[in-house]
Amino acid sequence: MFFEGSEKRIEIVVNGDSQSLRSFGDSFWQQAVAKAGADVLSKISNSGCDAYLLSESSLFVWDKRLVMLTCGNTNLVDAALFMIDQLNSVNIAWLSYQRKSEFLSHLQSSHFEDDIQRLNEVMIGRAYRIGHLDGHHHYFYCSQKGESASVSRSMQMYHIDGQVADYLRGDTLDALSIRQRLKLAPLFCDFEFDDHLFNPFGYSINGIRHNDYFTIHITPQERSSYVSIETNLNSALEASSIFCELLNILNPRVWDVIGFNGQLVVDAFPPHIDLADCNVSLNQADTLYINHYKQAKRERLVAEAL
Amino acid sequence: MFFEGSEKRIEIVVNGDSQSLRSFGDSFWQQAVAKAGADVLSKISNSGCDAYLLSESSLFVWDKRLVMLTCGNTNLVDAALFMIDQLNSVNIAWLSYQRKSEFLSHLQSSHFEDDIQRLNEVMIGRAYRIGHLDGHHHYFYCSQKGESASVSRSMQMYHIDGQVADYLRGDTLDALSIRQRLKLAPLFCDFEFDDHLFNPFGYSINGIRHNDYFTIHITPQERSSYVSIETNLNSALEASSIFCELLNILNPRVWDVIGFNGQLVVDAFPPHIDLADCNVSLNQADTLYINHYKQAKRERLVAEAL
């Protein structure tokens, strides 16, 4: 029943005078998604952006920017290479490619080092690893030139526990009930939602409000549970209160926060230990913030029979 | 310059009426070691045991018991299968096979699940994983029947730092100086030592005193440093004070302690956070204790350029 919830992520910004990315149309984005080994399940749109819900995570497309996340054993780098080729690299103002450490990295069809070797054949970039190999770590690659200047905040929650976690692992799920338990309607006021329940486990939701987005992906499996949220909400306070609420509901044992040009207000986080932090100045405009947290309480481990 | 310091470990106890393991002789043990893909570098002996220093870790052989540790990308399970075959499983009173989580598990030629599948073809055993997949975890397999009733304590230190760590990464190493910096002569009184410096990095030492042993293996490489110590010293106090001294000298960021029928007195450990613990009752006689510790201070991570 293992599923690798951990996502790979790509962000591309095109130059102001290049063709609108939204104008490429659904079939183009379906092709890009297929390159990664995923499918488009559904789409919602508004005046600002198109949000595609994928069989493995999400794709958001604005006129001048896209963010694509894929989990499982997808090959996001193949989608990246396809897009670089089709968009023509002269039109690309910024590209970043990220991977988080996986639960079972040996089951992945490529590793970060392989991916950046392929990216470096078509562009000039820099790559980093943040965090030790024997714990949570993040791989980050970005174009040498250009800037993103966007704001996004994401949180990765591991080993969720309690009533909602139990519900998510149960066999009587429905999407509306999950939205209610996660309090998504009050937390994301005026957002349009698009969600999907996977069989036998898993839940994904995209939400958009003009140019704002959020996306949540839940892999509830008991021994490798993983829930991620990402949003470009500009207000640190608003993002922080949403993240805090989800921590209280999902009660993860450990969690990481990745801020791109944005941090969080953590005072209201549940009792925790600050394990480690980092900020990486990528260029004049962009800073990457990474924080690792753990519940304050010492954990009594259980021997899992294999 | 990456080297996987993390060890695989096998312990075998033979029945009281079976042939002395020591009587099998050097060439037999060289064969067993070769099955794992390692070589015997040197040997010391006393009235109680034979201690072989290996190209990848160590082998200790007593009349009725053996402990073999191999690091790197060795196939210890092949040595285990060879020994089970040669010793004849009816003579085996107890067998355990352990692996710790590796820094780069995808570079290993087998995974624990593969190994136990092969062991289960020739014996009946139980397997456990202790610790989450996204952090330090330990795999433990042991025979369904029988008992070890031995005592051992080991400590795995990750991300060493400071003067001695810097020395171990330098290019003017000599074995005597390492022994002095680690204070091994006063810590292991009356032990006979056998050590080896590896090129360009790494140090291993075996020590024996009648039936007592200790072994230390150092992989000092900056981004994946790992130092392990294991001993069967019967006194918890004596083992604890040695482990504390090494923690003070090597200043690891995180460390794990694995006790087999023995725990440690941790009051004198450097300021730390108890991350997690576990005890697993394996049978009437044997209990496995695992503890994860981290330095109390929050870590400021550095982005490693790749």
Side-chain angles (χ1 to χ4, degrees), chain A residues 103 106 111 127-129 132 134 136 158-159 274-278 292 294 298-301 304-306, chain B residues 103 106 111 127-129 132 134 136 158-159 274-278 294 298-301 304-306:
Chain A
F103 279 103
H106 64 275
H111 298 280
Y128 304 95
R129 189 190 75 235
H132 300 297
D134 56 317
H136 290 188
Y158 297 79
H159 313 300
D274 288 321
L275 293 174
D277 63 17
C278 184
H292 298 294
K294 180 185 181 302
R298 176 190 355 194
E299 181 173 13
R300 173 58 51 103
L301 295 170
E304 311 271 6
L306 298 180
Chain B
F103 279 103
H106 64 275
H111 298 280
Y128 305 95
R129 189 190 75 233
H132 299 297
D134 57 317
H136 290 187
Y158 297 80
H159 312 300
D274 289 320
L275 292 175
D277 63 16
C278 184
K294 181 184 182 301
R298 177 188 359 193
E299 182 172 14
R300 173 58 51 104
L301 294 170
E304 312 271 7
L306 297 180

Side-chain angles (χ1 to χ4, degrees), chain A residues 57-236:
Chain A
S57 307
S58 296
L59 165 66
F60 297 90
V61 184
W62 297 262
D63 283 334
K64 299 297 171 193
R65 181 183 304 272
L66 72 88
V67 170
M68 184 170 168
L69 299 164
T70 65
C71 59
N73 190 9
T74 46
N75 298 302
L76 184 57
V77 69
D78 287 313
L81 290 166
F82 170 78
M83 291 189 280
I84 294 167
D85 178 59
Q86 297 287 308
L87 302 179
N88 193 342
S89 54
V90 297
N91 294 316
I92 294 177
W94 165 264
L95 181 147
S96 69
Y97 175 75
Q98 291 171 260
R99 285 178 74 153
K100 301 170 196 94
S101 45
E102 286 106 5
F103 279 103
L104 293 177
S105 70
H106 64 275
L107 299 183
Q108 290 290 308
S109 57
S110 80
H111 298 280
F112 183 74
E113 289 78 357
D114 312 322
D115 296 347
I116 58 170
Q117 202 171 342
R118 296 177 64 198
L119 287 170
N120 277 334
E121 284 170 14
V122 297
M123 58 179 288
I124 298 168
R126 288 164 296 148
Y128 304 95
R129 189 190 75 235
I130 299 139
H132 300 297
L133 287 171
D134 56 317
H136 290 188
H137 52 277
H138 298 279
Y139 291 107
F140 191 90
Y141 175 86
C142 64
S143 41
Q144 183 78 37
K145 289 191 181 162
E147 293 166 353
S148 164
S150 64
V151 170
S152 70
R153 295 176 178 86
S154 69
M155 179 165 68
Q156 295 76 42
M157 292 170 270
Y158 297 79
H159 313 300
I160 58 171
D161 186 48
Q163 232 176 329
V164 175
D166 290 343
Y167 173 76
L168 292 166
R169 292 176 190 127
D171 49 10
T172 58
L173 295 176
D174 70 90
L176 181 64
S177 171
I178 294 177
R179 288 195 209 178
Q180 285 170 344
R181 283 163 208 258
L182 299 181
K183 303 185 184 169
L184 297 185
L187 288 176
F188 291 99
C189 221
D190 301 328
F191 276 72
E192 184 184 353
F193 295 146
D194 181 22
D195 59 3
H196 187 84
L197 256 178
F198 293 88
N199 186 13
F201 291 118
Y203 174 78
S204 287
I205 184 166
N206 285 341
I208 51 175
R209 184 183 65 188
H210 192 53
N211 283 314
D212 295 339
Y213 74 97
F214 82 88
T215 182
I216 294 175
H217 299 283
I218 300 179
T219 302
Q221 276 88 323
E222 182 109 37
R223 283 148 202 194
S224 50
S225 63
Y226 174 88
V227 178
S228 68
I229 174 167
E230 173 172 323
T231 180
N232 66 343
L233 278 172
N234 202 57
S235 153

